């Protein structure tokens, strides 16, 4: 399983495609599989490098005792971004994933090319 150490926790991720970066951020009580099952990563991978990942405490990522705010998860994204060597990414966030995406854009604007909220 591909994973990175980000902001003191282990995050599971998947990547596919080549081109500008797109990162899909799932909702609370979900995981990156929701994106995979939707077919969106596969469709975008024709033109973009698509990264999906499990937020801390979700899916195959670690479940630390703390850190479940959008601020901490935005910092997790910043560390994931650096660890994977991503360029400025369009973040697609669903529900709370949208909150994390907006917080990430405010925290680390150099990492974010745009935000799409769902």
């Amino acid at each position: 399983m591909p994973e990175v150490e980000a902001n003191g926790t282990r995050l599971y991720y998947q990547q596919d495609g080549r081109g500008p970066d797109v990162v899909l951020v799932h909702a609370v009580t979900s995981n990156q599989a929701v994106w995979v099952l939707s077919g969106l990563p596969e469709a975008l991978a024709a033109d973009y490098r698509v990264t999906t990942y499990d937020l801390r405490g979700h899916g195959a990522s670690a479940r630390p005792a703390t850190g479940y705010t959008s601020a901490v998860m935005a910092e997790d994204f910043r560390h994931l971004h650096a660890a994977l060597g991503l360029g400025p990414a369009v973040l697609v966030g669903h529900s709370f994933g949208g909150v994390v995406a907006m917080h990430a854009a405010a925290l680390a604007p150099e990492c974010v090319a745009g935000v799409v909220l769902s």
Side-chain angles (χ1 to χ4, degrees), residues 14-17 22 24 32-52:
Q14 291 186 345
Q15 271 188 335
D16 193 18
V22 173
L24 306 178
Q32 63 83 35
V34 72
W35 296 114
V36 174
L37 294 172
S38 76
L40 184 59
E42 184 179 358
L44 292 173
D47 299 305
Y48 302 94
R49 177 169 59 170
V50 181
T51 302
T52 60

Side-chain angles (χ1 to χ4, degrees), residues 11-92:
L11 299 179
Y12 170 76
Y13 72 95
Q14 291 186 345
Q15 271 188 335
D16 193 18
R18 294 184 187 276
D21 285 299
V22 173
V23 178
L24 306 178
V25 188
H26 65 78
V28 169
T29 74
S30 187
N31 62 43
Q32 63 83 35
V34 72
W35 296 114
V36 174
L37 294 172
S38 76
L40 184 59
E42 184 179 358
L44 292 173
D47 299 305
Y48 302 94
R49 177 169 59 170
V50 181
T51 302
T52 60
Y53 71 103
D54 288 336
L55 295 171
R56 65 171 54 219
H58 295 76
S61 289
R63 292 169 173 74
T66 62
Y68 294 94
T69 67
S70 62
V72 172
M73 291 185 183
E75 189 65 23
D76 290 350
F77 163 76
R78 190 176 67 77
H79 286 264
L80 174 83
H81 183 277
L84 298 179
L86 303 179
V90 172
L91 304 183
V92 179

